[in-house]
């Protein structure tokens, strides 16, 4: 089984995705990296793009941020609202289609979500518009080594839509893979200053994971600043 849109995918697998997240490493790898990069966010207006189950939105709210979240799946948003206990404003939309006034946010975060879009020029342009001068954009994507473990014959130097089979869901998923040079060009063309990159692995204090998870990065988390 395969899906042609993120909305169709997550409206179908939302229950299983919620259950599987308990056994995933994102909460001890990618999420802590985002929080480390953002630092003190008390009183900051944060837009969480692709808020999903609400894990990041909840963490932002707990740290005193004023959170707005969007997600393309209404079923995922239902879970998100329960996770966040109604703290925050949540909207069903895609990040290509949603519209906010200029300089509405101090921080925009997109965790493991923009790789579903093949319109990143528009996405980055919108995010720049929505951020205040000096505003922060954090986002994460799957690490190239993550793709290599699933698609050994993949060409890594060119942007490409890639399909791969996820055993835990028994279906095919797709991402739009972009090489690092592509992202750097996006930063420059949309007036973002690169601040920092974290390549995430499972910390060794968490026992029981395969050895590769402690050594091989699963995602890349970027911090940018609007110039």
């Amino acid at each position: 089984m395969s899906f042609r849109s993120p909305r169709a995918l997550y409206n179908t697998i939302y229950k299983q995705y919620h259950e599987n997240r308990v056994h995933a490493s994102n909460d001890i790898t990618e999420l802590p990296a985002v929080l480390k990069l953002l630092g003190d966010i008390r009183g900051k207006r944060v837009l969480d793009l692709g808020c999903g189950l609400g894990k990041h939105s909840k963490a932002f709210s707990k740290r005193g941020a004023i959170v707005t979240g969007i997600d393309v799946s209404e079923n995922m948003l239902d879970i998100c609202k329960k996770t966040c206990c109604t703290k925050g404003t949540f909207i069903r939309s895609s990040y290509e289609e949603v519209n906010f006034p200029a300089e509405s946010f101090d921080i925009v975060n997109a965790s493991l979500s923009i790789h579903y879009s093949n319109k990143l020029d528009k996405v980055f342009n919108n995010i720049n518009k929505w951020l205040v001068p000096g505003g922060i954009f954090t986002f994460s994507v799957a690490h190239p080594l993550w793709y290599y473990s699933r698609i050994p014959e993949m060409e890594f130097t060119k942007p490409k839509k890639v399909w791969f089979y996820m055993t835990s869901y028994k279906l095919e998923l797709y991402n739009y893979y972009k090489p690092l040079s592509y992202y750097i060009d996006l930063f420059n063309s949309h007036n973002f200053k690169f601040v920092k990159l974290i390549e995430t692995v499972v910390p060794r204090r968490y026992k029981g994971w395969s050895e590769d998870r402690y050594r091989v990065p699963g995602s890349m988390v970027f911090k940018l600043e609007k110039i």
Side-chain angles (χ1 to χ4, degrees):
M1 183 185 298
S2 60
F3 293 87
R4 300 293 167 179
S5 74
R7 184 181 185 186
L9 168 65
Y10 284 102
N11 273 342
T12 301
I13 70 168
Y14 69 100
K15 287 183 180 179
Q16 191 175 1
Y17 184 81
H18 192 199
E19 294 167 0
N20 287 357
R21 185 63 183 263
V22 175
H23 308 290
S25 64
N26 291 353
D27 293 346
I28 58 174
T29 56
E30 191 272 348
L31 176 54
V34 171
L35 297 175
K36 180 180 180 180
L37 289 174
L38 290 178
D40 185 0
I41 57 174
R42 286 174 293 181
K44 301 294 186 180
R45 299 166 297 168
V46 177
L47 174 61
D48 192 10
L49 292 176
C51 54
L53 300 174
K55 297 289 187 81
H56 291 69
S57 292
K58 181 178 181 179
F60 299 153
S61 291
K62 284 181 67 175
R63 286 159 178 76
I66 303 161
V67 177
T68 300
I70 71 165
D71 199 276
V72 74
S73 164
E74 47 264 60
N75 290 338
M76 293 287 277
L77 275 178
D78 286 342
I79 296 175
C80 177
K81 291 174 183 177
K82 293 175 183 176
T83 299
C84 294
C85 302
T86 71
K87 289 184 179 179
T89 301
F90 299 98
I91 303 164
R92 198 216 70 77
S93 184
S94 72
Y95 29 68
E96 297 100 341
E97 297 169 349
V98 72
N99 190 30
F100 295 105
E103 301 184 10
S104 294
F105 301 101
D106 303 294
I107 297 167
V108 174
N109 176 70
S111 287
L112 298 170
S113 61
I114 67 171
H115 52 210
Y116 288 114
S117 175
N118 200 29
K119 301 177 181 177
L120 290 187
D121 270 312
K122 182 175 182 180
V123 172
F124 271 67
N125 184 66
N126 285 342
I127 292 168
N128 186 280
K129 181 183 76 172
W130 299 333
L131 280 170
V132 298
I136 298 301
F137 176 32
T138 49
F139 76 95
S140 57
V141 293
H143 196 281
L145 288 173
W146 184 92
Y147 288 105
Y148 182 73
S149 67
R150 290 159 175 79
I151 314 171
E153 72 283 1
M154 182 170 159
E155 168 58 68
F156 285 94
T157 62
K158 299 176 182 177
K160 184 179 181 182
K161 184 176 184 178
V162 294
W163 290 86
F164 45 89
Y165 188 77
M166 293 293 284
T167 305
S168 55
Y169 298 103
K170 296 181 173 61
L171 51 79
E172 277 194 312
L173 303 181
Y174 75 86
N175 287 170
Y176 289 100
Y177 168 80
K178 302 291 192 299
L180 187 57
S181 58
Y182 184 97
Y183 286 111
I184 292 172
D185 288 343
L186 275 177
F187 306 162
N188 291 331
S189 61
H190 293 283
N191 296 315
F192 282 105
K193 180 177 75 174
F194 169 73
V195 178
K196 193 167 184 179
L197 165 67
I198 295 177
E199 297 173 285
T200 65
V201 294
V202 173
R204 288 196 177 272
R205 66 179 178 275
Y206 295 101
K207 307 302 181 183
W209 296 87
S210 66
E211 179 60 24
D212 283 351
R213 303 302 291 276
Y214 300 113
R215 300 183 299 105
V216 181
S219 65
M220 300 186 294
V221 188
F222 295 85
K223 179 179 181 179
L224 311 179
E225 180 182 336
K226 177 180 174 178
I227 298 172

